[in-house]
Amino acid sequence: MKLLIIEDDESAAKSLRNGLVEAGFSVDLAHDGETGLQQAQDGDHDLWVIDVMLPGRDGLSVLKALRDQGRSTPALIVSALGEVDERVEGLRAGGDDYVVKPYAFAELLARIEALLRRSRSFGSGPETMLELADLKMDLLSRSVTRAGQAIDLQPREFSLLEYLMRHAGQVVTRTMLLENVWEYFFDPQTNVVDVHISRLRQKIDKSFATPLLHTVRGSGYILRPEA
């Protein structure tokens, strides 16, 4: 799932982004209201996290503009302004939830997951279940099973498998994985992809008769039922 964070405190935004990436999300950042509005209009995001106090254009005016355009993407407002009237104003501007700074990351993550579940229940949410043969991934509960057997994955392994499942039947290169799973936009000469592919293969293939994760020599990897 893809999130957009509009937050002018670059250090806080980076820290939040790192936590959400580790939790398996893809995250875009904007540090002012105008840029955030443009990214929200141009991007295919599943949820927006919007700070109220932004340079150029405040977060509530950004959200109002998006709602006036008919955009229904769930929005979580974060702000140091925590009085009742301020929270009410944020919700009336189009926010689906409101978190007061400082907040615990675990609570913010839980609220994001709750908003995504709510969106799904109204039929307007993004795809939340991926399947390939007997391999199933629930993106909301962050659980994976194969032939009904639970598979325990670390956050990065989960993100790696999600990317492979979204591109099932396609050859995925090492560079594609570095850019989309690790968000490295260069090759740092690391074997991190190979190590995680090996671990993932052990977990999803070792105990089952039909392998799903295959190496395409000289090209990359592919997830499919056949060799």
Side-chain angles (χ1 to χ4, degrees):
M1 292 186 182
K2 188 177 182 181
L3 310 184
L4 171 64
I5 299 172
I6 310 176
E7 166 65 72
D8 64 319
D9 185 330
E10 294 190 22
S11 177
K14 183 178 180 180
S15 177
L16 178 56
R17 177 185 182 179
N18 290 342
L20 291 171
V21 168
E22 285 298 321
F25 294 98
S26 174
V27 181
D28 289 333
L29 292 181
H31 299 304
D32 64 78
E34 290 295 343
T35 302
L37 177 59
Q38 189 65 50
Q39 289 194 19
Q41 291 171 332
D42 294 344
D44 184 21
H45 300 101
D46 299 302
L47 183 139
W48 305 315
V49 179
I50 306 176
D51 187 22
V52 171
M53 301 174 69
L54 296 169
R57 184 168 188 163
D58 70 83
L60 296 190
S61 71
V62 169
L63 185 53
K64 286 178 182 176
L66 292 166
R67 295 304 189 219
D68 287 344
Q69 294 168 10
R71 300 174 186 270
S72 59
T73 300
L76 175 61
I77 298 172
V78 294
S79 176
L81 306 175
E83 296 298 323
V84 172
D85 289 347
E86 293 161 339
R87 298 199 302 271
V88 169
E89 183 182 9
L91 295 173
R92 284 179 173 169
D96 296 283
D97 199 356
Y98 194 110
V99 176
V100 178
K101 297 179 178 180
Y103 52 78
F105 175 74
E107 179 185 0
L108 188 77
L109 178 60
R111 288 177 180 269
I112 287 172
E113 292 170 342
L115 286 177
L116 291 171
R117 284 196 302 272
R118 188 188 309 167
S119 178
R120 178 191 184 190
S121 71
F122 281 98
S124 60
E127 184 179 19
T128 57
M129 182 70 75
L130 301 176
E131 296 186 33
L132 177 70
D134 57 354
L135 181 66
K136 296 183 179 182
M137 169 178 278
D138 188 319
L139 299 174
L140 289 182
S141 67
R142 300 192 63 76
S143 60
V144 176
T145 62
R146 184 164 183 196
Q149 178 180 326
I151 297 174
D152 184 27
L153 298 180
Q154 295 299 312
R156 191 70 73 180
E157 294 167 347
F158 188 95
S159 299
L160 176 58
L161 180 59
E162 179 183 352
Y163 188 82
L164 290 167
M165 290 189 74
R166 289 188 183 277
H167 296 81
Q170 305 172 27
V171 175
V172 176
T173 68
R174 191 168 172 274
T175 299
M176 290 168 64
L177 292 173
L178 283 171
E179 291 182 355
N180 291 281
V181 178
W182 280 266
E183 299 193 355
Y184 293 165
F185 293 94
F186 59 95
D187 187 349
Q189 299 299 316
T190 175
N191 67 344
V192 64
V193 171
D194 309 287
V195 170
H196 279 76
I197 285 287
S198 177
R199 291 175 180 171
L200 184 60
R201 181 177 279 128
Q202 287 288 315
K203 292 183 177 183
I204 69 170
D205 278 347
K206 185 177 180 181
S207 302
F208 303 92
T210 305
L212 298 177
L213 181 52
H214 309 279
T215 299
V216 181
R217 194 173 302 277
S219 298
Y221 306 96
I222 187 169
L223 194 69
R224 65 185 182 193
E226 311 84 17

